[in-house]
Amino acid sequence: MQPNPFGGVIEDLTVAEVKAGLDDGTILLVDVREPNETAAERIPGAVEFPLSTFDAAALPDPGDKTLVFSCRSGQRSQRAAAAAQAAGVDLHRHMAGGILAWKDAGFPTDKG
């Protein structure tokens, strides 16, 4: 883990690590992009939770999965982790590079 530029700490997960976790059911991916963005394109299986209305208390319960934040490029997901930590919720993982890196890796998305 390293210092998060937005507060707290952050752990970068690669898109390959996140894809593997989605495939084997060990990761709950929380997409903090806005509804117009997720309506246009999203990562299959990701849960929508816009940063503009972020409430750490309302985050989905990951159960035995690891909750990982994602966004377009990796900035808002770091902000979400910082906001969660500021609210006393120990969430510090995000998908580095966001959906842009996901697509660059050739992984599938759902469009519109």
Side-chain angles (χ1 to χ4, degrees):
M1 282 194 281
Q2 62 202 22
N4 183 339
F6 304 104
V9 295
I10 193 76
E11 181 180 346
D12 294 336
L13 297 182
T14 67
V15 292
E17 289 171 320
V18 172
K19 175 81 166 69
L22 287 171
D23 288 348
D24 69 14
T26 59
I27 284 181
L28 173 64
L29 190 62
V30 175
D31 190 334
V32 298
R33 295 177 304 140
E34 296 306 307
N36 63 313
E37 294 174 283
T38 55
E41 186 171 28
R42 62 190 304 270
I43 294 171
V47 175
E48 298 173 28
F49 201 86
L51 188 59
S52 64
T53 57
F54 191 86
D55 176 3
L59 281 164
D61 180 359
D64 59 354
K65 297 180 181 183
T66 299
L67 191 148
V68 177
F69 293 110
S70 72
C71 63
R72 179 179 177 270
S73 65
Q75 296 298 309
R76 285 177 281 178
S77 56
Q78 291 183 67
R79 285 189 180 102
Q85 290 171 45
V89 181
D90 185 22
L91 296 173
H92 56 267
R93 293 175 183 89
H94 89 120
M95 186 174 73
I99 195 170
L100 294 176
W102 179 272
K103 293 188 320 182
D104 284 348
F107 296 141
T109 60
D110 290 335
K111 294 187 180 185

